[in-house]
Amino acid sequence: MTRRVTGYAAEVTVSDGQRFATLGRVVVRNRRLVLLWLRRQALRLANGHGLPLAAEAVRLSTGDDVQPVHFHGSDAPDELRRWATHSAHQDHAIQALEAGFPALFTVLDPAVGLSLTLAGWRGRPGDR
């Protein structure tokens, strides 16, 4: 029996190399909404570091937003902004999702040993 997978899931996680925590996740109906949610979360996390950008034109439910993370002496906020706002990164992510692969982006905060990963994939949480 072949299981038909509908929809997409996205999740933002943080790890210190030994422990792993989910900061937030969402299930949506298509890959574009996965990418939109991941971009929004990347900008929220970067802005939470103290360098706000212009207001977001498209908003999803605020109940789906990830928990904030405090970065320590790293380039993580700039890397998150770059990933969220540069079309080449977005093109790569949507192509991965279209091909059935997960879209993944990880930033590191070496000052405190944290890695933050944005992930989107076809299916439900736990289907990765």
Side-chain angles (χ1 to χ4, degrees), residues 77-94:
D78 290 337
E79 291 177 38
L80 287 166
R81 280 188 192 88
R82 191 171 11 273
W83 181 84
T85 60
H86 284 82
S87 62
H89 297 300
Q90 299 306 301
D91 290 345
H92 178 74
I94 200 75

Side-chain angles (χ1 to χ4, degrees), residues 33-105:
L33 291 176
V34 163
L35 192 55
L36 179 64
W37 187 82
L38 290 171
R39 288 177 63 201
R40 175 186 164 88
Q41 302 318 310
L43 290 173
R44 286 189 80 251
L45 290 164
N47 290 348
H49 193 62
L51 300 172
L53 296 177
E56 300 165 46
V58 178
R59 298 196 51 96
L60 294 178
S61 168
T62 56
D64 295 332
D65 290 335
V66 299
Q67 298 299 313
V69 171
H70 182 71
F71 297 105
H72 298 82
S74 76
D75 295 328
D78 290 337
E79 291 177 38
L80 287 166
R81 280 188 192 88
R82 191 171 11 273
W83 181 84
T85 60
H86 284 82
S87 62
H89 297 300
Q90 299 306 301
D91 290 345
H92 178 74
I94 200 75
Q95 288 168 0
L97 290 170
E98 286 172 351
F101 296 106
L104 299 170
F105 179 70

Side-chain angles (χ1 to χ4, degrees), residues 3 14 17-18 27 30 33 60 67 80 87 102 107-108 119 128:
R3 186 173 78 166
V14 65
Q18 296 180 6
V27 176
N30 64 54
L33 291 176
L60 294 178
Q67 298 299 313
L80 287 166
S87 62
V107 294
L108 302 174
R128 286 190 279 179

